[in-house]
Every structure is written in structure tokens, then in C-alpha cells.
Amino acid sequence: MSTKPVRVVRHPDAVVELRLDDPGRGNALDLPTAEALRDATAEVAADPGGAVLLRAAGATFCVGGDLRAFAGRGEETGAYVHAVATAAHAAVRALYELPVPVVTAVRGAAAGGGIGLALVGDIVLAAQSARFRLAYTAMGLTPDCGATWLLPRLVGPRLATDLVLTNRVLTGEDAERFGLVTRAVGDDEVDETAYRTAAELAGGAGEALRAAKRLLRDQGAGEGLSRHLDEEARLIAGLAGSGEAQARMTAFLTARVRRRAGSGPSLPNAPQSVS
């Protein structure tokens, strides 16, 4: 069995699958995982087949950055978080710039950097019970992975501001209603539906699909995302080493340990981590 946190699976029907494959950690992004994601997306970009399917192993899509890797690093925190964001952003860029259709399947939690990864797809299918939560500002951080670039374009500036500042939780059905995802499907159908969609696209009129995607994604928009990702990485790295962010991350991790030990109140919908 592979121990890689991110895998590339090439299917016979020209679907190239990019799979987050560390379910025991909620597919969280520490530096090795972010670098593995960067390398895997580069491999996909070199030969994307007819369509790309992005999905995750286990019950959670991606909880974002691993707070355990962010907390307690002192003066090194900013540099570490910047390295994680830079590697993850290379993956987001690669996915956004793929010439073929990208289909994303979201089950369970998509939080922090997992939001950007989920939304960068052309067609995003979410389980009805999926949970989308930014969660950054609760940790004293700013969003990364393209969230502040993608959200206003998908749901408008007013709702994007609400989601970023309040860390409001959206289910898959909420996300469909607001235009965050393409559609919500039954929890037991999301993987099958996403794969079938990718396979149909891979078997479709390839040149027409690529040309249509180019029309939908003009050159200026792509350059704008690239610059925006650089600024997101700079801001989150600068905040991560601050006293407030470190205190908030430490408090969150301590509370989670207490909840697992059976003491303290339960906090439903709290993210395990953000990036």
C-alpha cells in the first residue's frame, strides 16, 4: 500500500485522478504533504489526459493546514507557513491552468486551504452533508490557496466577506444554493457521480472542451490569480508567527485534546486545522 499523502492514478478511460490520500490526518497540509501535492499536480500537468478528477480518500476532503505543524515554532513559524503556502499555491496554479476539465468531489469537511483546492475545479460536486468553513480568522490568520480570489467571483463580494470574516459553515446543499459548487448530490453518490462526469468529459470532444475552457478563463484572470496567491502567502506567513495567532492555535489544539479526553464542551463543525 502506498504511503504517499497525495497520489496520481491514471485510469484507462483517460481520466487522471489526483487523490489526497492521508485520511488519518484529515488530508491536512503540513510541508511534506503540500510539497507532495505540488509535485503531483506538476506530474498531472505534464500529461493531464482527457479530464482530471480531484478527490480525497476517507471521510474528509481536506481540513487545511496542520495547526500542529504551525504552532510552537516561534520565529520560524512565518518561514514554515510561507513554505507550506508556496507549495500549496503551486498546486492551485497548476490545477487552475490545466487545459482539460477538472472535476472535484468534496465529501466531509473542506476547511482552510481545502476550500481553495475544492473550488479551483471547473465542476465541483459536493456531498449534501459536506461542510465548507474558511476558519482562518478564528486562528488569527488570513486565507490562502486562492480563497479570497475565488470566493468573490463565485458567490459575490457580500457573501464572500461573510464567509471569510465570520467563518460561517455551509453544507453541500448551502454551497449549491449560493453557487459555491456546481451541485450537491447524495453522500453515497458523490464519488461515483464525480468519476462518471470526469469520464464523460474525457471521452468528449477534447479540442472543443479545451477551447471552451480557454474562452471561459481569459488570460488576464489567470495572471490575476497568480499575483493574488503570492500576496496571500505573504500575509498568512506574516501573521502566523504573531503572538495572537500562536495563542489561538495553541488554545484550539488544547481544547481539542480535552474534548477527545471527554472533558469540556463539544464544538461541532470546528475545523481540525486551516492553511
Side-chain angles (χ1 to χ4, degrees), residues 193-204:
T193 303
Y195 187 92
R196 184 172 64 250
T197 301
E200 289 172 353
L201 290 167

Side-chain angles (χ1 to χ4, degrees), residues 40-265:
T41 53
E43 178 183 339
V44 170
D47 182 7
V52 170
L53 171 63
L54 170 61
R55 61 180 172 181
T60 298
F61 179 73
C62 177
V63 297
D66 190 341
L67 292 184
R68 292 167 298 183
F70 292 179
R73 288 183 175 270
E75 295 181 355
E76 299 178 358
T77 304
Y80 183 87
V81 171
H82 193 271
V84 174
T86 299
H89 287 183
V92 171
R93 283 189 183 96
L95 288 168
Y96 185 83
E97 293 170 0
L98 285 175
V100 302
V102 178
V103 179
T104 308
V106 182
R107 187 196 308 102
I115 296 283
L117 283 176
L119 300 185
V120 77
D122 299 302
I123 296 176
V124 182
L125 304 179
Q128 291 173 338
S129 64
R131 301 186 314 282
F132 296 85
R133 188 188 187 200
L134 272 296
Y136 292 93
T137 57
M139 299 296 116
L141 302 173
T142 47
D144 63 351
C145 288
T148 56
W149 193 89
L150 291 163
L151 281 170
R153 287 162 172 79
L154 291 169
V155 302
R158 193 67 73 185
L159 180 57
T161 301
D162 179 13
L163 296 175
V164 170
L165 298 186
T166 71
N167 302 303
R168 176 180 174 185
V169 178
L170 298 183
T171 65
E173 291 181 326
D174 294 332
E176 178 185 13
R177 184 167 68 255
F178 292 129
L180 194 68
V181 303
T182 307
R183 61 182 180 272
V185 298
D187 289 24
D188 58 347
E189 301 172 4
V190 63
D191 280 318
E192 179 183 351
T193 303
Y195 187 92
R196 184 172 64 250
T197 301
E200 289 172 353
L201 290 167
E207 290 186 12
L209 289 170
R210 289 178 180 228
K213 181 169 176 175
R214 285 197 303 272
L215 289 171
L216 290 165
R217 301 252 179 112
D218 62 55
Q219 294 298 317
E223 293 169 0
L225 173 60
S226 184
R227 290 193 299 269
H228 200 87
L229 288 167
D230 290 340
E231 183 64 3
E232 282 186 340
R234 186 185 70 81
L235 288 171
I236 193 173
L239 286 168
S242 70
E244 180 179 24
Q246 287 289 305
R248 284 177 175 271
M249 287 189 282
T250 299
F252 174 81
L253 293 169
T254 300
R256 187 175 63 176
V257 170
R258 288 175 177 168
R259 290 196 301 274
R260 287 180 173 176
S263 62

